[in-house]
Amino acid sequence: MKRRDFLNGLMVGAAALGTSAALHPIRTWAQGVAAKPSAPDTLSLGYRSIDVKGRSARVFGLVQPDGTPGLSLDAGAEFDVALSSGIDESTLIHWHGLTPPWAADGVPDNPAALLQPSETRRYTFPVGAGGTHWMHAHTLQEQNLLAAPLIVRTADDIKRDEQEVIVLLHDFSFLPAEELLARLKGNSPHGAMPMDHGAVQGMAGIQHTMSGNSVSGMAMPGMATMDLNDINYDAYLANDRMLDDPEVVRVEKGGRVRLRIINGATATAFTIDMGRLPGELVAVDGQGVVPVAGMSFPVAMGQRLDIRLSLPKEGGAFPVLALREGARERTGIVLATAGADIRNMTVAGDTKGPVLGLDLEQRLHPVSPLATRPADHRFELSLTGEMAAYNWRVDGADGLVVKRGQRIEVAIGNTSMMAHPMHLHGHHFQVVGINGAPVAGAVRDTVLVPPMASVVLAFDADNPGRWPLHCHHLYHMATGMMAYLTYDGVG
């Protein structure tokens, strides 16, 4: 597929929120395990309204017949889902974290055609192992909240004495995604040096200040500074709600909670801050890791965190915050025991959220690493681009061709001044190198590559197709930061 065709697919329906049949109201996100209906499971695409800053906003939804968002499936079972479209525009859904056959992956015209209005399409393939995953449009419609959780539970998950709480993070703008992209492309004259790194603001237009949007002092003299946030959104949401009116999840005194955090934001990285609750990170991107203790953990776009918490016996109210990278904005939920005093919170904190790096990545070790074997082929890729012209690229990807059964290594270096969360479809990879040093890192599907940093990924080529490898910043992907891993013999 030519890049022009891909971009046309991205642009489908980004802002045309017309009328359609109403969906059932969205239920609470902290769901228990429901009884499974007979196959296939039914999932409906539609429109819904949420309240943002006192205004009604019409967004997309992906729900089951009873209004539950997304899907909860059993590990090792069959993914058997009938996806029906109740919207008046074409779209397609990607099952992020699963490894379906190529035809079911959910990228427009690669190879599947877009799902048309009123069309129902059935998907069947093995679910695979357990994990915290999600589903989302692989078009600009993702900006309008076309995303939902996709949770795969193991038998141990179901038996475990802990309460599950799912949190889907998002960034929201009253402007359509097409207009946001157009403003980004026109932010500086074409060809200008990336020195004035302003950010597009939600309804306020273009901001020509570096305050809060870049980090100075992180580059050598004569080099550009690190760019953090290129869009200042109107709101940052956790389960559709802002922090001044958060979801309150009832929990038990002395109980155990498993947070399943999904960063579904299109262009915003966060740090999850549990405040006074110590936690254990037990999985990333749905893959188990040797537990890491901490009270805060970073999560880039497309990534997921499973965090286990033990609540104090005396109970109370416990905010779980998502701090916007390099800025004061924040969102989150509140865990509260019966009768707890829940205090009002503001959407802006006193300090800026941490800048994401690779510190945690260097500490992660997988529960189930790849089998040890030498690489059959190694590829070298470079992430390039600039804010001024807003062009982003993956250099060196033209020959990214593999054969089934090979062990593949992909070295990715970032020579741009923005971080890029790189996501590989159809596979799980292990991080085996960080900044030139070998590591026995996590198994995952999305890894952050900060400016002037590098990572090496290893995976087994066991799923033939033509698989996207792209930045999970929606607007970086839409402007060129997307390559394809192609199996030999696949057209």
Side-chain angles (χ1 to χ4, degrees), residues 29 48 60-62 134-137 142 145-149 168 170 264:
W29 298 72
R48 58 197 178 90
F60 294 107
L62 275 163
W134 63 304
M135 61 186 80
H136 60 85
E142 183 187 350
L145 277 62
L146 190 39
L168 177 61
H170 220 292

Side-chain angles (χ1 to χ4, degrees), residues 70-222:
L71 289 170
S72 295
L73 304 171
D74 294 330
E78 187 80 358
F79 185 97
D80 189 356
V81 174
L83 176 65
S84 298
S85 177
I87 63 177
D88 53 12
E89 50 195 279
S90 302
T91 191
L92 202 60
I93 301 303
H94 168 54
W95 318 106
H96 188 134
L98 302 187
T99 55
W102 179 41
D105 184 46
V107 176
D109 298 319
N110 186 53
L114 286 160
L115 184 74
Q116 299 302 317
S118 301
E119 181 184 354
T120 297
R121 190 174 298 176
R122 188 167 178 176
Y123 295 85
T124 56
F125 55 85
V127 169
T132 300
H133 307 305
W134 63 304
M135 61 186 80
H136 60 85
H138 222 274
T139 68
L140 290 182
Q141 293 159 321
E142 183 187 350
Q143 180 66 80
N144 295 317
L145 277 62
L146 190 39
L150 203 177
I151 307 302
V152 181
R153 297 185 177 91
T154 66
D156 287 342
D157 290 337
I158 296 171
K159 294 176 184 176
R160 195 174 289 117
D161 183 21
E162 62 185 16
Q163 181 178 349
E164 179 182 275
V165 177
I166 302 167
V167 182
L168 177 61
L169 303 172
H170 220 292
D171 38 27
F172 172 83
S173 176
F174 288 107
L175 293 177
E178 290 155 319
E179 186 168 346
L180 290 175
L181 180 57
R183 292 188 180 205
L184 287 167
K185 290 292 291 182
N187 202 19
S188 297
H190 181 73
M193 292 299 291
M195 297 301 294
D196 188 7
H197 307 286
V200 174
Q201 293 183 312
M203 291 294 288
I206 298 174
Q207 177 187 16
H208 291 286
T209 173
M210 292 169 58
S211 175
N213 301 302
S214 63
V215 177
S216 60
M218 295 188 68
M220 297 296 291

Side-chain angles (χ1 to χ4, degrees), residues 137-452:
H138 222 274
T139 68
L140 290 182
Q141 293 159 321
E142 183 187 350
Q143 180 66 80
N144 295 317
L145 277 62
L146 190 39
L150 203 177
I151 307 302
V152 181
R153 297 185 177 91
T154 66
D156 287 342
D157 290 337
I158 296 171
K159 294 176 184 176
R160 195 174 289 117
D161 183 21
E162 62 185 16
Q163 181 178 349
E164 179 182 275
V165 177
I166 302 167
V167 182
L168 177 61
L169 303 172
H170 220 292
D171 38 27
F172 172 83
S173 176
F174 288 107
L175 293 177
E178 290 155 319
E179 186 168 346
L180 290 175
L181 180 57
R183 292 188 180 205
L184 287 167
K185 290 292 291 182
N187 202 19
S188 297
H190 181 73
M193 292 299 291
M195 297 301 294
D196 188 7
H197 307 286
V200 174
Q201 293 183 312
M203 291 294 288
I206 298 174
Q207 177 187 16
H208 291 286
T209 173
M210 292 169 58
S211 175
N213 301 302
S214 63
V215 177
S216 60
M218 295 188 68
M220 297 296 291
M223 291 179 63
T225 55
M226 176 183 178
D227 295 300
L228 293 180
N229 299 302
D230 43 15
I231 302 177
N232 285 331
Y233 283 94
D234 291 305
Y236 301 88
L237 308 177
N239 295 348
D240 291 344
R241 301 173 74 162
M242 297 177 64
L243 192 59
D244 54 3
D245 181 29
E247 179 182 9
V248 177
V249 179
R250 293 299 175 187
V251 293
E252 296 181 359
K253 295 179 180 180
R256 293 187 1 137
V257 171
R258 185 188 187 102
L259 296 173
R260 294 184 183 266
I261 308 286
I262 304 165
N263 188 356
T266 59
T268 306
F270 296 98
T271 293
I272 305 303
D273 183 358
M274 283 87 68
R276 55 197 176 97
L277 278 181
E280 272 192 332
L281 180 66
V282 296
V284 295
D285 295 355
Q287 308 299 312
V289 295
V290 177
V292 177
M295 302 177 80
S296 64
F297 299 100
V299 60
M301 296 82 85
Q303 292 183 330
R304 289 88 69 208
L305 304 175
D306 284 39
I307 304 170
R308 184 167 290 141
L309 304 174
S310 294
L311 304 179
K313 293 181 179 180
E314 62 271 21
F318 308 98
V320 177
L321 303 179
L323 312 178
R324 182 189 179 205
E325 182 182 28
R328 294 176 57 219
E329 290 84 5
R330 57 190 187 165
T331 187
I333 65 167
V334 178
L335 307 177
T337 57
D341 180 26
I342 302 173
R343 300 182 180 180
N344 293 333
M345 291 180 288
T346 61
V347 297
D350 295 330
T351 59
K352 295 180 180 180
V355 175
L356 274 64
L358 292 171
D359 292 348
L360 176 64
E361 201 70 48
Q362 292 174 317
R363 299 168 55 200
L364 297 179
H365 299 287
V367 171
S368 301
L370 292 184
T372 301
R373 60 176 282 196
D376 298 298
H377 207 306
R378 179 183 172 103
F379 299 92
E380 304 278 345
L381 306 180
S382 180
L383 309 180
T384 64
E386 61 175 28
M387 284 289 291
Y390 212 78
N391 289 322
W392 306 97
R393 300 175 301 280
V394 182
D395 291 343
D398 291 343
L400 202 54
V401 178
V402 303
K403 294 182 179 180
R404 187 169 189 170
Q406 288 183 325
R407 169 64 58 85
I408 302 299
E409 287 189 359
V410 181
I412 306 175
N414 183 4
T415 62
S416 78
M417 294 313 297
M418 285 202 79
H420 302 291
M422 299 302 294
H423 171 51
L424 175 62
H425 288 223
H427 304 77
H428 298 119
F429 55 75
Q430 184 172 1
V431 179
V432 297
I434 295 178
N435 292 333
V439 297
V443 174
R444 56 192 320 158
D445 57 58
T446 307
V447 65
L448 184 70
V449 190
M452 303 303 157

